[in-house]
Amino acid sequence: MAAESAGILLYKRRGRALQVLLVHPGGPFWRNKDDGAWTLPKGERDTGEDAETTARREFAEELGVMPSGALVPLGRIRQRGGKQVDGFALEGDLDVDRISGNSFEIEWPPRSGRRQSFAEVDRAAWFSPDEARQKINAGQKPFIDRLEELCATS
């Protein structure tokens, strides 16, 4: 069975302009990757956990802030590797210079016998929808489209 994840696409409005928050994964594999590497803050669902609970937990773990407010479902997408992601929209603001999320440890460099710790998310940034479509993992682009549709009708 494909892995299931859930995440939150935080957004804010600057006048009539929409901005979305994306995160860049930490660790040596992602260090020099930019376009197509960013993602909404998300993570894998625990057994029996509902998608909204997962989305809130993962946002807090990756950014160090528990999101509050009503989440608006953006539906489910399937990424190229088969992972299914449930997305939620949440209007809010976040100081990207003050994120403080979890870290993970891996053997680095490979086969060196040494273990190093890396931030799960090494940075976060606000983007216009067009910029975000260039930065985000290609499979997650529909979340941006759905958010724009949602904001156009509200």
Side-chain angles (χ1 to χ4, degrees):
M1 182 168 170
E4 292 185 349
S5 292
I8 296 173
L9 185 57
L10 191 69
Y11 70 97
K12 64 183 178 181
R13 301 169 204 244
R14 296 271 183 187
R16 296 180 56 93
L18 185 64
Q19 291 187 310
V20 297
L21 179 83
L22 299 179
V23 298
H24 187 271
F29 176 77
W30 298 102
R31 181 173 291 136
N32 297 319
K33 294 179 175 36
D34 192 51
D35 288 352
W38 294 70
T39 181
L40 63 151
K42 64 169 185 49
E44 204 162 310
R45 288 172 65 176
D46 291 337
T47 303
E49 186 176 48
D50 67 88
E52 186 171 323
T53 300
T54 301
R56 288 183 188 280
R57 174 179 47 79
E58 289 295 326
F59 190 97
E61 287 180 5
E62 293 187 357
L63 297 168
V65 177
M66 181 57 79
S68 62
L71 299 182
V72 179
L74 293 174
R76 178 176 273 200
I77 57 98
R78 182 183 170 105
Q79 295 184 166
R80 194 170 72 192
K83 181 185 285 186
Q84 297 184 61
V85 181
D86 290 299
F88 296 90
L90 177 65
E91 189 167 8
D93 201 357
L94 180 79
D95 182 349
V96 296
D97 294 326
R98 294 182 171 258
I99 64 169
S100 61
N102 287 351
S103 60
F104 66 96
E105 191 176 277
I106 59 170
E107 182 180 14
W108 191 258
R111 296 177 293 286
S112 67
R114 294 191 334 238
R115 299 199 60 83
Q116 288 191 42
S117 183
F118 297 94
E120 196 172 333
V121 166
D122 62 13
R123 63 190 182 273
W126 290 100
F127 298 101
S128 72
D130 288 339
E131 292 170 321
R133 282 186 190 88
Q134 186 169 343
K135 299 289 184 189
I136 201 167
N137 173 304
Q140 295 176 23
K141 286 180 185 180
F143 290 139
I144 297 168
D145 299 335
R146 294 169 191 172
L147 176 65
E148 280 191 307
E149 290 171 15
L150 179 72
C151 290
T153 61
S154 61

